[in-house]
Amino acid sequence: MDYENILTALKNGNVPSGGALEICMGRDDEIEEFEKLLENIKQGRSYTKFINGEFGAGKSFFLKVIEEMAFKKNFVVSWITLSNEIPFNKFDVVYRNIAKNLKVKTGKSLEHIIERWITNIKMMAFEETLDPQKQNEFIESSIRSELKEVREYSNPMAKAIGSYYTFSNIGDYDTANNIQAWLRGDGQIPFTEKRKFGVKGDVDKETALKYLGALSIFIKSVGYDGLVVLIDEAEFIMNLHTQKLRDIAYNYIRDLYDDCSNGKFKNTLFIFGGTPQFFEDHKKGIASYDALNDRIADVLKSNYKDMRKPILELKGFDKNDLIEITRKLIIMHENAYRWMASEKFNPIITEIVDEHEENAELTGGKITPRIFIRSLVSVLDTVQQNQGSFIDSSTILDLFSDKESELEKQLEEDW
């Protein structure tokens, strides 16, 4: 584990590229629930879930945790962040970005997934027979068999995937590349080229949802346990200029939610991360679109936890969480920079936590995870590089007061 890389990312307010699951604390109930969901998805179920949290509450970080959990369990993952370039009211654009960002633990891209699948079939063919003609017959038969369910859902997608092997096998890589581009939703493939591999039309706003369903079926058919789609910064939908555009976006979310519930999607998990305003705003948020809000809004107003409801709320850290993560970060920093951080910081862990709790009035008594972690790592870095100046604990605690007031101003970006 590259602790130095993790600590640098955390200090910069970013989600680390790896190790999020190992250092995630205070989210045991949420992790347990998503473990169960992934197991259910493996058996054919599908879900649409929502993560609600203030800026800095750790939504993007928790999406990273889910991504790492999914990779460990042999899922394909796609992460998209909504923006001007990826507006959710244009679902053909959303599909293209989901297809473009597909990742597995062995690599990235839809092409990698297809190539790995074909390679596995070729290896089975070599084990079956040494006759080249019979090997090719075995490969083609296996491809047809494994695409059967995809064909029932979307014959064009099944035909294109099968044709990819055919054209790759004869060395026509231009056509093979056009097939890959078409599967990713590229609408610029000439008609004459599409005719070569037996498809008409493109992935558009009318067909994108169906092709996404077919893509998830293909992913399951070729040996993965399912597809996980992580949709970050969902509150960008509120920036769409008109109510009509926002309604279109919310209706697509409703379609996903309903299709997961009624079995049209199989082995698929969609997770939207957004701020409280995204869920509660009656002018521009989900609350403005009754057809979706009536499905996912909490019907039981209670302070008790319910991990099975559609919207999971990420709370700030309590005192036990703060103590646990402080100890963990001290150990990580000690290992990364080879110094005795614990000697200087362990005796004052309680005081560090108390210092942050006293400054948490603006968050309702809860510590914002990002602010706390950035502050702690910054102080650890400062003390490690200036150890002679920090002989007693009071000088270290003074640093926290300075860092906390500075970082409180930086809640514009979430992680």
Side-chain angles (χ1 to χ4, degrees):
M1 187 66 63
D2 188 348
Y3 287 140
E4 184 173 354
N5 182 59
I6 292 172
L7 290 165
T8 299
L10 294 175
K11 182 178 180 179
N12 292 336
N14 296 323
V15 179
S17 59
L21 180 57
E22 180 178 334
I23 64 173
C24 183
M25 289 164 234
R27 307 293 185 214
D28 292 347
D29 291 336
E30 289 84 354
I31 289 174
E32 182 181 354
E33 176 62 18
F34 278 100
E35 289 275 4
K36 293 175 183 176
L37 290 179
L38 291 173
E39 285 301 314
N40 290 343
I41 291 164
K42 184 177 178 179
Q43 304 304 319
R45 298 287 299 276
S46 290
Y47 302 91
T48 300
K49 302 287 282 187
F50 303 85
I51 297 176
N52 179 5
E54 298 281 0
F55 287 117
K59 295 185 297 296
S60 297
F61 187 92
F62 191 67
L63 290 179
K64 186 68 177 179
V65 169
I66 295 171
E67 180 186 64
E68 292 183 6
M69 290 166 59
F71 285 149
K72 284 188 174 184
K73 290 182 175 292
N74 195 38
F75 280 81
V76 176
V77 180
S78 182
W79 184 318
I80 64 172
T81 300
L82 300 192
S83 63
N84 285 323
E85 290 71 36
I86 312 177
F88 210 78
N89 61 301
K90 297 181 179 179
F91 206 77
D92 52 334
V93 177
V94 173
Y95 171 88
R96 283 199 293 273
N97 281 274
I98 290 173
K100 182 179 73 173
N101 292 325
L102 292 174
K103 292 171 61 178
V104 294
K105 56 187 175 184
T106 58
K108 302 178 181 179
S109 82
L110 178 58
E111 182 178 3
H112 171 80
I113 293 169
I114 295 176
E115 285 284 0
R116 191 165 180 262
W117 167 58
I118 292 174
T119 298
N120 288 338
I121 293 177
K122 287 179 177 179
M123 292 174 65
M124 289 189 291
F126 289 137
E127 293 175 359
E128 184 75 17
T129 177
L130 297 177
D131 185 320
Q133 182 177 345
K134 290 183 178 180
Q135 286 177 353
N136 195 54
E137 291 172 356
F138 178 92
I139 294 168
E140 291 180 348
S141 174
S142 297
I143 288 175
R144 283 194 302 271
S145 176
E146 295 190 17
L147 290 175
K148 180 181 178 181
E149 192 173 359
V150 180
R151 190 174 299 109
E152 293 172 356
Y153 199 92
S154 172
N155 188 57
M157 178 169 280
K159 188 174 290 187
I161 295 170
S163 297
Y164 176 80
Y165 166 72
T166 301
F167 285 100
S168 297
N169 197 42
I170 63 175
D172 187 348
Y173 299 113
D174 287 340
T175 301
N177 289 336
N178 282 331
I179 292 172
Q180 284 284 353
W182 183 85
L183 288 168
R184 292 193 301 270
D186 188 339
Q188 305 301 315
I189 310 301
F191 170 77
T192 53
E193 288 297 309
K194 289 186 286 189
R195 187 167 57 184
K196 286 184 182 180
F197 50 93
V199 302
K200 297 178 181 179
D202 299 303
V203 178
D204 56 32
K205 62 182 181 180
E206 304 298 332
T207 61
L209 201 63
K210 187 175 183 65
Y211 278 118
L212 183 56
L215 181 62
S216 68
I217 289 172
F218 168 70
I219 285 169
K220 176 65 175 178
S221 298
V222 300
Y224 296 97
D225 286 335
L227 171 65
V228 175
V229 180
L230 307 173
I231 302 159
D232 202 3
E233 298 187 19
E235 64 272 7
F236 182 83
I237 293 173
M238 298 175 65
N239 293 340
L240 296 174
H241 297 305
T242 68
Q243 185 65 49
K244 182 179 179 180
L245 295 179
R246 294 191 292 272
D247 286 352
I248 291 171
Y250 292 135
N251 192 61
Y252 278 127
I253 298 178
R254 186 195 68 168
D255 286 341
L256 290 176
Y257 187 84
D258 288 352
D259 286 354
C260 287
S261 297
N262 63 29
K264 288 185 179 180
F265 272 99
K266 296 182 179 180
N267 307 98
T268 309
L269 173 62
F270 297 97
I271 306 176
F272 291 83
T275 60
Q277 186 183 14
F278 171 65
F279 296 100
E280 299 166 8
D281 190 290
H282 287 271
K283 290 185 177 180
K284 295 184 177 182
I286 286 178
S288 70
Y289 192 71
D290 290 342
L292 175 60
N293 191 57
D294 289 348
R295 285 164 165 79
I296 69 172
D298 287 351
V299 294
L300 179 64
K301 301 300 181 183
S302 168
N303 291 327
Y304 292 105
K305 281 188 176 182
D306 178 6
M307 293 292 114
R308 298 172 195 160
K309 63 186 180 182
I311 304 172
L312 274 66
E313 185 176 354
L314 290 187
K315 303 286 188 179
F317 288 164
D318 61 23
K319 188 163 189 172
N320 290 333
D321 296 329
L322 292 173
I323 290 173
E324 182 183 3
I325 198 167
T326 301
R327 286 174 175 160
K328 182 70 173 180
L329 289 172
I330 289 170
I331 292 171
M332 288 172 58
H333 205 278
E334 197 168 65
N335 289 333
Y337 298 104
R338 299 180 182 179
W339 71 298
M340 298 304 293
S342 56
E343 287 187 357
K344 290 184 178 292
F345 282 83
N346 281 358
I348 57 170
I349 287 178
T350 301
E351 286 85 349
I352 291 171
V353 171
D354 290 342
E355 179 73 33
H356 282 82
E357 287 191 320
E358 287 174 6
N359 294 325
E361 293 180 3
L362 293 178
T363 57
K366 293 287 185 179
I367 304 295
T368 303
R370 188 185 63 190
I371 292 297
F372 175 75
I373 291 171
R374 290 192 66 194
S375 175
L376 179 58
V377 176
S378 294
V379 171
L380 282 164
D381 279 348
T382 300
V383 174
Q384 185 266 327
Q385 294 172 80
N386 303 274
Q387 293 183 49
S389 300
F390 296 95
I391 305 301
D392 60 80
S393 58
S394 62
T395 53
I396 296 177
L397 290 172
D398 288 342
L399 275 180
F400 280 103
S401 298
D402 295 338
K403 289 291 180 183
E404 188 74 7
S405 60
E406 174 187 339
L407 291 172
E408 283 287 357
K409 302 174 184 178
Q410 302 176 19
L411 276 172
E412 296 299 323
E413 298 178 2
D414 192 19
W415 62 264

